[in-house]
Amino acid sequence: TQLVTDIICPFCGTLCDDIEVEVSDDGKKIIKVTNACAIGAEKFLHAQSPDRIVRPRMKQEDGSWKEVTYDEAAKYTAKILCDAKKPLMYGWSSTSCEAQATGHMIAELVGGVVDNTATVCHGPSLIAVHDVGIPSCTLGEVKNRADRVIFWGCNPAHAHPRHMSRYSIFSRGYFTTKGSKSRKIIVVDPRPTDTASVADYHIQIQQGRDYELIDALRVALQEGPLPETVAGVPKEKIYDIARLLKSGRFVTIFFGMGVTHSLGKNHNIDIAIALTADLNKYTKAAIIPMRGHYNVTGSGQVLGWQFGFPFCVDLSRGFARYNPGESSANDLLMRGEVDANFVIGSDPGSHFPFKSVKVINELPSVCIDPHMTPTVAVSKCHVPVALVGIEVGGSCYRMDNVPIESRKVVDPPAGMLTDGEFLELVLTEVQRIKGVA
Ligand code: SF4
């Protein structure tokens, strides 16, 4: 066997870059994965699954699947996109920046709407960043400097399992040589989570009252007056937390969907950013969203370079428009405003409301995904592709906007295309149909 080191884990936004994989001498089979958490290791090992689907398939009238070639699948994809007045091209968060860029070229030619999974996770954070900017930092700075860490509405113990050991709680850095003993950890969550169980303080906030508590913390930083309780938290506790934060050398606030998708949405993030700015009057403070899919941050970056907006980009009029709530995937599906559905690198069939999934089921549709997912089940064409970060390399962005190059570890199954290669086939066919070079 041979050991491949310094591998990126292509699962969550922590994008751990210290994975080691033992592969067979012929470089075809993964034997063992070390350093990854259970979910990360499983992604590598799943690439070896004997029941993996390795050829594109079209759904037949009786619901069965018929194997087709990649060329046939590319022709079908190009046709439904070109025939549609307003195709939805959704997902992008579990593929490389290079594949995203090729897909966006197709979207521009066919006048599609490009939306990514931020639409159902950190979209409100992106809207807030437009409104008020963001004082942020890298995870390396958190590791080396942060002595006060808040996890607000997120549970990395389950969703980003190595975040705490590599960066935010247990890791030892230049100014944090005692690891967790160098830091005070605060978890704000209505639930007693596993992350809360390792925190110094668990603030059990009332569900959906984040805005009030963040506002109260801003008041408490200035020792201003507070009512007896805010969001179910006694005022003495709020003053204590404010003093604790002010006494730190470097505060980092990590936040998740408990804040972005509870009452207040982007306004919760506006005010969390304002709290971070306030803290910078007393100490150094930064705020970082806990991004989920390993390259959802990259999708926002690539859309930003190409069209100026990080999600919900509507190209149907030949130029980029951006209006979350109008040009977001779920709103378009539920209002019946799209007439073809293209999914890559995500699984709306599992995560979108039933009403949206029913619409996908009715539309001409394609799903590009290495796995059999609920989205595949409601799509007309399934295109399995090589796994980015395991069977093909590519650029990805970590949750703190640091780009990291993922590496190829093993060969994909014989004859299987990467998503970049498949999108190139679709692009060529779209160019042919549209009569452009
Ligand atoms: Fe992979 Fe995330 Fe686990 Fe790191 S924490 S090994 S990136 S799943």
Side-chain angles (χ1 to χ4, degrees), residues 22-23 28 33 60 70 95 107 114 149 165 207 213 215 236 250 304 307 328 331 344 361 380 382-383 433:
E22 199 178 317
V23 297
K28 288 192 187 322
V33 180
Q60 305 301 292
Y70 277 102
T95 188
V114 184
V149 179
S165 57
Q207 169 75 36
L213 186 58
D215 205 16
E236 293 74 26
F250 193 111
F307 304 118
S328 27
D331 299 274
I344 182 168
N361 189 42
K380 308 286 181 292
H382 173 211
V383 184
I433 295 171

Side-chain angles (χ1 to χ4, degrees), residues 8-19 33-41 43-44 156 158-167 292 294 399:
I8 304 297
C9 169
F11 191 90
C12 83
T14 312
L15 223 56
C16 296
D17 55 6
D18 62 341
I19 312 302
V33 180
T34 37
N35 290 346
C37 67
I39 47 180
K43 177 152 185 186
F44 282 91
H158 288 195
H160 303 81
R162 295 184 73 221
H163 191 281
M164 302 186 303
S165 57
R166 274 175 67 78
Y167 301 111
Y294 71 89
M399 64 167 70

Side-chain angles (χ1 to χ4, degrees), residues 74 78 102 106 109 421-437:
T102 307
I106 298 169
L109 282 171
E421 287 166 342
F422 179 70
L423 290 171
E424 287 290 348
L425 285 182
V426 177
L427 177 62
T428 305
E429 182 62 14
V430 167
Q431 287 170 330
R432 190 191 65 74
I433 295 171
K434 296 277 179 189
V436 293

